[in-house]
């Protein structure tokens, strides 16, 4: 089972991915978390990624591919995984297809969590991570609209996409995601 949680920064992908991974008994891969850990530990990937993450730019696709491939070889991914924050570009989506084809796996579904920009900005300012400054948040939303949102069409054309309302209680949103997965 390979589930992609899709949506702009701040729609709740991370929160929902943790709950889903627990409920479904599969692994969770957040590329953002992976980069933050690599930066904290100052690994070679972390050193390459840090300027991008700090300024809200996308980390280059080759570096993202490295971190994803490394995670996917981990045996906890054998039952499948919840992908959170990946793929974010067309190149990444194509790289994911190749990785999955090599494993004989398929994307089960892509769940797009929809939240309006004002709510996103309010939520992120409250979260207060170091890249949650208003100017950086606005930049991340622009990057999402320019580079990531076009994947909605890419997955829509493959009939893999369901959009759910991301406003409301965490448990209510989770129930919507679960019913999208089971549909
Ligand atoms: P996130 O935790 O998903 O909000 O990601 C935080 C930051 O990590 C992003 O603003 C990017 O700089 C970087 N990042 C995470 N995932 C990706 C990805 N799939 N492609 C490029 N950059 C990423």
């Amino acid at each position: 089972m390979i589930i992609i949680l899709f949506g702009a920064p701040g729609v709740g992908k991370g929160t929902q991915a943790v709950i889903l991974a627990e409920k479904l008994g599969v692994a969770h891969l957040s590329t953002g978390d992976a980069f933050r850990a690599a930066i904290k530990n100052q690994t070679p990937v972390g050193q390459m990624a840090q300027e991008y993450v700090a300024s809200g730019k996308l980390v280059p696709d080759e570096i993202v591919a490295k971190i994803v491939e490394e995670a996917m070889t981990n045996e906890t991914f054998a039952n499948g995984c919840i992908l959170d924050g990946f793929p974010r570009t067309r190149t990444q989506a194509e790289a994911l297809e190749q990785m999955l084809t090599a494993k004989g796996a398929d994307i089960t579904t892509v769940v797009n969590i929809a939240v309006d920009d004002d709510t996103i900005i309010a939520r992120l300012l409250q979260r207060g991570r170091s890249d949650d400054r208003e100017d950086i948040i606005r930049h991340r939303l622009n990057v999402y609209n320019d580079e990531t949102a076009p994947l909605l069409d890419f997955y829509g054309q493959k009939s893999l996409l369901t959009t759910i309302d991301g406003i409301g209680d965490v448990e209510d949103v989770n129930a919507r995601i679960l019913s999208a997965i089971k549909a």
Side-chain angles (χ1 to χ4, degrees):
M1 174 185 284
I2 310 284
I3 311 281
I4 299 176
L5 287 190
F6 199 88
V11 299
K13 298 186 298 294
T15 304
Q16 292 297 337
V18 170
I19 301 173
L20 279 178
E22 165 85 16
K23 284 189 180 167
L24 299 171
V26 297
H28 164 209
L29 173 60
S30 156
T31 44
D33 284 350
F35 284 127
R36 282 183 288 277
I39 292 166
K40 191 163 168 241
N41 296 325
Q42 285 292 299
T43 67
V45 164
Q47 291 181 357
M48 285 188 275
Q50 67 188 354
E51 293 307 318
Y52 298 97
V53 174
S55 58
K57 297 195 178 88
L58 290 185
V59 175
D61 291 329
E62 319 81 71
I63 305 175
V64 178
K66 266 193 195 137
I67 216 158
V68 173
E69 269 164 24
E70 216 174 274
M72 296 275 236
T73 54
N74 189 311
E75 63 190 54
T76 56
F77 285 80
N79 289 334
C81 68
I82 314 288
L83 294 173
D84 150 17
F86 173 84
R88 265 172 152 103
T89 65
R90 175 72 180 246
T91 305
Q92 291 178 21
E94 284 166 356
L96 174 63
E97 278 185 350
Q98 283 184 1
M99 272 182 248
L100 293 178
T101 305
K103 288 172 173 293
D106 281 313
I107 295 169
T108 312
T109 191
V110 179
V111 182
N112 175 39
I113 307 176
V115 174
D116 61 278
D117 282 5
D118 287 346
T119 306
I120 285 176
I121 292 169
R123 279 188 189 176
L124 291 181
L125 285 174
Q126 215 178 20
R127 182 174 69 179
R129 213 166 67 191
S130 61
D131 57 346
D132 289 337
R133 255 174 36 199
E134 184 152 359
D135 54 336
I136 303 176
I137 294 171
R138 289 194 187 277
H139 183 67
R140 282 156 61 208
L141 285 173
N142 288 337
V143 168
Y144 171 80
N145 287 325
D146 293 345
E147 308 209 37
T148 307
L151 291 179
L152 290 170
D153 269 350
F154 178 80
Y155 288 122
Q157 279 166 16
K158 296 176 188 285
S159 302
L160 285 171
L161 186 72
T162 311
T163 294
I164 62 112
D165 179 3
I167 305 275
D169 278 0
V170 169
E171 271 306 323
D172 291 343
V173 174
N174 194 255
R176 289 174 208 143
I177 297 175
L178 276 173
S179 59
I181 293 170
K182 285 171 185 157

